Amino acid sequence: MDPFGWLTQAHQTLARAGWQRQVYQTTGGVGAEIILEGQRVLNFASNNYLGLAADPRMQERAIQAIQTYGTGSTGSRLLSGQLAIHRELETALAHWKGTEESLVFASGYAANLGTIPALVGPRDVIFADVYNHSSLKSGAQLSQAKVFEYRHGDLDHLAQLLSVHRGHFRRGLVLTDSVFSMDGDLAPLVGVLDLAQTQDCMVLVDEAHATGVLGATGAGAVEALG
């Protein structure tokens, strides 16, 4: 018996279904245009909306940081401490976002995986837009809270689910993107917040695709909507 034998069969099943994904080689930097397998194309798959990844000022400061701090923190903040530059970043982000505090994760996906289970657990309930990013869905699953998905942007459906289910659980959390990653549309955040408040629910808003794009200072949809 081969304990890894199922991998070949699973791979073949994905290929037959047309679900097999593969990584393509790109060159030419990280700008609006890239070279994909020898062909110059416009890159609509990037999150680099503001072009910061290739900004010469960012590159220069990154080099300076490496020369000062090295290439990594070498350990967990709770065990080996944090660098001053990390605290400076979080303080600046909190000021920009208009919040009391901020906490930086290694990626947006990791942020949702870490934050959602810290807010709710098996005795709690999550109400989530069905079009939420997969990181929100994964964080909800990891929390072990009961999850009810409402139709995309449908406040009436959210209100119905809240009315029926909220009272059966300890804590409640509403999850939504602000700008949805695949469709580019904006969640009805004002209505979501109003409904959540009437049912004693927390709200987590993922601003991954609105930060730097919406709002007077680019802080996102929450800022843009006041």
Side-chain angles (χ1 to χ4, degrees), residues 117 120-125 140 142-146 168-171:
V120 290
R123 297 167 55 196
D124 305 316
V125 62
L142 189 63
S143 75
Q144 300 184 56
K146 178 67 176 179
H168 301 298
F169 298 88
R170 180 184 57 169
R171 289 195 290 266

Side-chain angles (χ1 to χ4, degrees), residues 52-72 85:
L52 295 178
D55 190 295
R57 297 165 296 179
M58 294 286 288
Q59 293 174 337
E60 181 180 351
R61 292 301 296 271
I63 292 170
Q64 293 175 3
I66 290 173
Q67 291 173 337
T68 302
Y69 301 104
T71 57
I85 195 171

Side-chain angles (χ1 to χ4, degrees), residues 120 124-129 146-151 154-176 188-204:
V120 290
D124 305 316
V125 62
I126 289 173
F127 302 92
D129 192 295
K146 178 67 176 179
V147 178
F148 295 98
E149 289 189 325
Y150 59 92
R151 291 185 293 270
D154 191 333
L155 292 176
D156 290 336
H157 192 208
L158 173 58
Q160 178 186 356
L161 291 175
L162 285 166
S163 177
V164 172
H165 300 292
R166 172 64 186 98
H168 301 298
F169 298 88
R170 180 184 57 169
R171 289 195 290 266
L173 174 66
V174 180
L175 296 180
T176 183
L189 290 182
V190 174
V192 168
L193 289 167
D194 289 343
L195 286 173
Q197 188 171 23
T198 64
Q199 294 289 343
D200 189 30
C201 272
M202 301 173 286
V203 178
L204 187 152

